[in-house]
Amino acid sequence: MSHPEELRRELTDGARGLLARGMITNDEWLELCDLVTGSYSFAIEQRAAELFHPASAYVVLDQSGQQAGKGSRGILAFDAAKDAPLQVKYGEGGTLQAFTGPAFNYLSGSIQGLVLTMENGRRFTLVEVGRYLRGGEYVEAITDPDGFRLLLDMIEVAHEAGNVARARHLERRAEVSPFRVCPSCRANFATQYDCAQCTGLGFIRVTV
């Protein structure tokens, strides 16, 4: 869902119009509002988590590009002893926020994409280095473009062979990477090589 705020307004206005015309009761209006709110909350959580993944391992880089810490399963630990560890979780409005303190209940920063911005203005970049897949399997991130291209080819072969389980496993594996399938050509052979967005690769880099 690209624009959850706009969709929420449209659905709420539509439900309000039905109520005004007497097509639904007050109770039905409230039920519709609950459904819209629930859908909106889910959508923004999904959007916030599009890049950050709680099951991933990260290297934390400061603004100079130097390693400042590491992260795993939603906990970020800094190398400097003066910097307390952070827990990344959803805060108000479904946005990803970083909390500190003994019970991780003190707001300390927020995350957009893979950039952590602290309340004091300090900024850090999270670089995914691995992820725990379903079943507990840990895999390292695929950072080599040729390796990612090979994985896309393996996914296509699995689909053509009708091996849905293997294709899905490989697709989850492909998510552990700074690359994503090009949204313009979708790595389609017929259009890929003339695609301006990915310059014929079939995929683009979305993170550092």
Side-chain angles (χ1 to χ4, degrees):
M1 189 181 297
S2 301
H3 304 287
E5 297 87 355
E6 294 180 10
L7 183 58
R8 180 179 64 167
R9 284 195 298 268
E10 292 175 2
L11 293 176
T12 301
D13 290 342
R16 187 178 294 114
L18 293 175
L19 178 64
R21 291 193 296 272
M23 300 178 68
I24 58 175
T25 65
N26 282 326
D27 287 342
E28 290 172 332
W29 147 257
L30 292 174
E31 289 179 5
L32 285 175
C33 286
D34 286 343
L35 288 172
V36 170
T37 300
S39 298
Y40 170 75
S41 297
F42 177 77
I44 57 178
E45 285 182 3
Q46 290 295 100
R47 186 175 64 180
E50 184 177 355
L51 293 179
F52 181 85
H53 199 287
S56 291
Y58 293 95
V59 168
V60 182
L61 304 180
D62 62 19
Q63 290 180 278
S64 68
Q66 298 298 309
Q67 181 172 326
K70 295 181 180 180
S72 180
R73 301 201 176 199
I75 301 294
L76 304 178
F78 293 90
D79 296 337
K82 63 182 178 64
D83 292 324
L86 303 174
Q87 182 183 46
V88 178
K89 56 185 177 180
Y90 293 113
E92 295 182 1
T95 56
L96 279 174
Q97 296 178 326
F99 295 83
T100 189
F104 295 111
N105 54 357
Y106 295 105
L107 179 62
S108 187
S110 60
I111 291 182
Q112 291 187 336
L114 287 177
V115 176
L116 167 65
T117 303
M118 305 296 287
E119 292 288 287
N120 60 12
R122 297 168 67 196
R123 291 166 63 90
F124 300 90
T125 299
L126 308 181
V127 179
E128 186 178 29
V129 294
R131 185 182 301 179
Y132 292 92
L133 301 181
R134 293 178 183 176
E137 177 189 4
Y138 179 81
V139 296
E140 295 184 353
I142 300 173
T143 58
D144 175 53
D146 291 336
F148 189 79
R149 176 68 261 175
L150 177 61
L151 185 58
L152 293 184
D153 292 340
M154 293 169 63
I155 292 171
E156 183 177 358
V157 169
H159 276 299
E160 291 176 350
N163 193 337
V164 177
R166 175 166 174 75
R168 287 179 177 173
H169 175 76
L170 293 174
E171 286 168 351
R172 288 194 295 270
R173 182 69 182 87
E175 292 176 0
V176 191
S177 171
F179 307 110
R180 293 292 183 271
V181 172
C182 177
S184 295
C185 69
R186 302 299 302 172
N188 185 292
F189 180 79
T191 58
Q192 171 183 327
Y193 295 101
D194 293 325
C195 181
Q197 185 168 359
C198 68
T199 62
L201 292 174
F203 58 91
I204 60 173
R205 178 183 285 270
V206 295
T207 64
V208 295

